[in-house]
Amino acid sequence: MENIEEIVNSGSTRFIISALVFIGAVIIVIFLYRYLVKRLNKRAAKTESQVDNFVVDMLKMPILFLLLWIMLKIYTKTSFFDTQYQHLIDHAMEILLIITIGWIVIKGIRILFYYLERKVKEEAKTGLEAQSSVTKFSIFERIIISLIAVITVAICLMTFDQIRSVGISLLTSAGILTAVAGLAAQKSLSSIMAGIQIAITQPIKLNYVVVIEGQNGTVEEINTTYVVVKIWDKRRLILPINYFLENPIENWTRNSSDLLGSVFLYVDFLMPIEPLRTHLQEIISNNPLWDKTVANINVTNMREDSMELRILLSSPDSGKSADLQFYVREEMIKFIQQNYPQYFVKRKVLEFQNNESPLAENGFPQNNKSNHE
């Protein structure tokens, strides 16, 4: 009997029993938590708003981590209270708590900005107004999350006495430290300030159609230090955010997304214009790519052997404008082929024998001899 009591009261046995109890409690809490999350997801799915779905998805892991931290804290206090590792365990638990709180705060910031973005999209009168607000929210959200992450890491490091003493000693030479840090982080700080300036002035916004370095694309991402532009062939052009403040860019959707597209035709001088104008109205009158604003044909230039016709077309956005231009160009060429094929521009090439010297229009013979003869 005494041996059994000694075994039960021994430290190793108590540690094993407490560990088994802790593991069993963790398994039970995880199963109960998963069941609760499923119930919340089903409840959120029944509502029209997507905010509650986003909240559940964002907070399910940080809250579970916090619950496990509480259980681990209780376990270490009951199992390691009289060991030499108690100080190290308490320090590790303190760091885990700081990280967990920082994680929850970051998730809360994401939930807040998600709610604001959805609210703005619902209340905005036009898509451009929504893009303007979403661009601001996106940049400020990333800046705030970056600051919270830096503060969280800094607080974790300050829990170490050695680092805290180093920090105090560095404060005595704050002037030198500030100068060195400023030089080292000059580009990073300028990029962050450029991101803030873009968020306020907004020369570009999400989903803007821009032309950069001869590439036509759509602004897909705006981060604190770089911008991702999706090119028409699905490539991505990644540019530093300073580029948009230091270089001229062609913006097709600054104030509105509607655009004018042009199609050029080159035909003979005898080609009648009115049939082309009539056919143009016929092919685009019911076309959804046309916004029913501008559609005309004008003679814009003359060449030695042809005249230039410009077809001007309006569309609600750049993508539809390109498709409309392709469609109209094909239909007009088909119309000329079927009805006026003789008025396509033709070039006549006269071939002569090596010894022939045909007369030019001015009546003088042309010299066909090569320069080396």
Side-chain angles (χ1 to χ4, degrees):
M1 248 347 242
E2 293 179 358
N3 293 332
I4 296 175
E5 290 180 359
E6 289 179 1
I7 294 174
V8 172
N9 294 327
S10 64
S12 60
T13 305
R14 187 180 60 188
F15 174 77
I16 294 173
I17 293 173
S18 61
L20 292 175
V21 173
F22 172 72
I23 294 173
V26 167
I27 294 174
I28 293 173
V29 168
I30 290 176
F31 274 103
L32 291 176
Y33 188 77
R34 290 181 63 184
Y35 173 76
L36 178 62
V37 169
K38 287 182 179 179
R39 292 291 301 272
L40 291 174
N41 282 326
K42 289 181 180 179
R43 199 169 197 180
K46 295 179 181 179
T47 61
E48 297 180 357
S49 176
Q50 297 295 323
V51 177
D52 45 4
N53 302 68
F54 188 77
V55 171
V56 174
D57 187 58
M58 285 288 102
L59 294 180
K60 62 182 181 181
M61 290 304 298
I63 297 299
L64 177 61
F65 199 81
L66 181 60
L67 291 175
L68 295 178
W69 179 89
I70 294 173
M71 296 180 65
L72 185 60
K73 183 71 174 179
I74 297 173
Y75 169 68
T76 55
K77 283 296 183 182
T78 57
S79 300
F80 300 94
F81 64 91
D82 57 350
T83 63
Q84 58 181 343
Y85 303 108
Q86 181 64 39
H87 176 69
L88 295 176
I89 294 173
D90 290 341
H91 190 195
M93 295 300 296
E94 183 181 1
I95 292 176
L96 287 176
L97 179 61
I98 294 171
I99 294 174
T100 303
I101 294 175
W103 191 9
I104 294 175
V105 172
I106 288 174
K107 294 293 186 179
I109 294 296
R110 293 193 62 187
I111 291 170
L112 175 62
F113 278 97
Y114 179 82
Y115 170 76
L116 293 175
E117 288 177 7
R118 290 193 64 86
K119 187 176 181 181
V120 166
K121 288 180 180 178
E122 292 174 357
E123 296 179 355
K125 297 179 180 179
T126 63
L128 291 176
E129 291 181 7
Q131 291 173 10
S132 175
S133 300
V134 168
T135 301
K136 290 181 181 178
F137 291 152
S138 177
I139 294 176
F140 283 120
E141 177 186 356
R142 289 184 173 90
I143 292 174
I144 293 173
I145 289 176
S146 300
L147 291 176
I148 293 174
V150 170
I151 292 172
T152 302
V153 173
I155 294 175
C156 290
L157 293 176
M158 292 302 291
T159 59
F160 295 91
D161 294 333
Q162 297 85 349
I163 295 180
R164 185 184 301 161
S165 61
V166 171
I168 294 174
S169 63
L170 287 175
L171 289 175
T172 58
S173 56
I176 299 176
L177 180 63
T178 303
V180 173
L183 291 174
Q186 183 179 5
K187 290 186 177 181
S188 299
L189 291 175
S190 64
S191 297
I192 294 175
M193 294 304 296
I196 296 174
Q197 185 175 351
I198 284 180
I200 296 174
T201 59
Q202 293 190 329
I204 57 170
K205 301 175 188 176
L206 291 174
N207 299 320
Y208 263 16
V209 179
V210 295
V211 179
I212 300 172
E213 304 291 338
Q215 299 285 349
N216 185 344
T218 304
V219 179
E220 188 175 45
E221 294 181 28
I222 301 178
N223 297 287
T224 53
T225 56
Y226 65 92
V227 175
V228 179
V229 179
K230 182 180 179 181
I231 308 302
W232 64 273
D233 56 1
K234 295 186 178 182
R235 290 179 297 151
R236 266 57 174 184
L237 186 64
I238 300 176
L239 299 164
I241 200 164
N242 292 345
Y243 179 91
F244 295 88
L245 298 177
E246 299 172 355
N247 298 279
I249 60 174
E250 186 176 335
N251 193 330
W252 289 6
T253 49
R254 171 64 177 171
N255 297 316
S256 61
S257 59
D258 54 323
L259 290 173
L260 288 177
S262 56
V263 175
F264 291 93
L265 299 175
Y266 298 92
V267 294
D268 192 85
F269 294 108
L270 299 178
M271 174 71 198
I273 308 300
E274 287 304 320
L276 295 178
R277 292 193 174 111
T278 303
H279 184 65
L280 175 64
Q281 297 299 324
E282 292 175 356
I283 62 176
I284 68 168
S285 57
N286 296 320
N287 195 316
L289 302 175
W290 183 49
D291 63 2
K292 304 185 186 306
T293 303
V294 178
N296 57 53
I297 300 178
N298 293 296
V299 179
T300 54
N301 197 5
M302 294 182 63
R303 300 184 176 184
E304 294 84 354
D305 56 354
S306 63
M307 60 180 175
E308 179 185 84
L309 304 180
R310 186 189 66 183
I311 305 174
L312 204 59
L313 306 162
S314 59
S315 295
D317 56 60
S318 61
K320 293 182 179 179
S321 178
D323 293 339
L324 182 61
Q325 293 175 52
F326 300 151
Y327 172 76
V328 169
R329 184 180 292 109
E330 292 177 4
E331 291 298 321
M332 297 303 288
I333 292 176
K334 187 187 303 182
F335 177 76
I336 298 175
Q337 288 173 342
Q338 295 174 354
N339 298 276
Y340 303 95
Q342 68 274 21
Y343 295 135
F344 277 116
V345 178
K346 299 180 178 64
R347 295 181 182 272
K348 296 181 180 180
V349 179
L350 300 179
E351 297 182 359
F352 300 96
Q353 299 296 329
N354 293 333
N355 297 327
E356 293 182 353
S357 298
L359 293 178
E361 294 182 356
N362 56 8
F364 292 94
Q366 295 180 349
N367 186 8
N368 292 330
K369 294 183 179 180
S370 58
N371 294 329
H372 64 274
E373 290 182 351

